[in-house]
Amino acid sequence: MKIENQVTMEFPSRSANEGFARTAAACFAAQLDPTLEEVNDIKTAVSEAVTNAIVHAYPDTLGKVMVRLRIKEGNLLEILVKDWGVGIADVDQARTPLFTTGNEERSGMGFTIMESFMDTLKVRSTPGKGTAVTMARKIARRAGR
C-alpha cells in the first residue's frame, strides 16, 4: 500500500512526553479531516501505547521511544510505537485484559483499549530487545471531501 505521508519522532521515556506524542499524532492525523471522535480515539490509543513503553519497557531507567505515523492510500492512518526495552515474554498473556506487570496503579487494559479504538493492532516483542506496537485506523471520508 502506497505511503502518502509520514513522520517519525523519538523521545526519552519520560512520562511528560506521553502528552506530546498524543498531541503530535492528533495533529498529523488532522490532514485526513477526522471527526472529533476519531481524533480522540487516535489520541487514546497513542497514549496507551506510549505509556506502556514508558512504564513497562524501562521500569528502572530512561530509554528511547519512537513513534512513526504514516498515512497510506485509502485514508489509512498507521501508527508504530517502538521501544528497545525489556520486551514482553508472553505477548498473548500481556494482551489479556487485566494482566499487568506493573504495580497496583496499572489496570492491565492498555492493549484492550488500543484494540478497541483502532481497526488493527499487532504486537511484536523480543525479551531484552524491545517491543513494537503497530496500529491502524481507516479514517472515513466525509461528504464534501
Side-chain angles (χ1 to χ4, degrees):
M1 189 174 283
K2 182 181 168 201
I3 297 169
E4 295 180 352
N5 198 6
Q6 72 176 6
V7 66
T8 302
M9 54 190 162
E10 292 183 2
F11 46 86
S13 60
R14 288 184 161 73
S15 60
N17 290 330
E18 175 273 326
F20 165 75
R22 69 185 271 133
T23 301
C27 290
F28 183 79
Q31 63 195 287
L32 293 172
D33 196 22
T35 65
L36 185 56
E37 181 179 355
E38 289 169 328
V39 169
N40 286 332
D41 291 353
I42 292 162
K43 287 169 66 175
T44 300
V46 168
S47 177
E48 291 294 333
V50 170
T51 297
N52 273 1
I54 291 168
V55 171
H56 298 291
Y58 306 106
D60 301 317
T61 186
L62 275 180
K64 180 172 65 172
V65 177
M66 186 263 292
V67 177
R68 184 187 69 208
L69 303 155
R70 286 181 170 170
I71 294 175
K72 295 184 171 183
E73 61 188 350
N75 273 22
L76 184 69
L77 175 67
E78 180 187 80
I79 304 162
L80 169 68
V81 177
K82 182 171 176 46
D83 67 67
W84 291 264
V86 300
I88 302 170
D90 185 338
V91 171
D92 290 334
Q93 182 182 38
R95 290 183 70 163
T96 302
L98 305 178
F99 176 82
T100 184
T101 59
N103 60 30
E104 64 278 350
E105 294 176 13
R106 313 272 32 122
S107 70
M109 294 297 289
F111 287 129
T112 303
I113 291 168
M114 286 179 247
E115 199 164 33
S116 70
F117 288 124
M118 303 303 283
D119 295 329
T120 62
L121 174 72
K122 295 177 186 164
V123 182
R124 290 177 289 121
S125 190
T126 303
K129 295 191 177 183
T131 302
V133 175
T134 305
M135 307 175 278
R137 171 87 181 247
K138 185 168 178 62
I139 304 300
R141 291 197 183 271
R142 299 199 312 258
R145 287 202 299 177

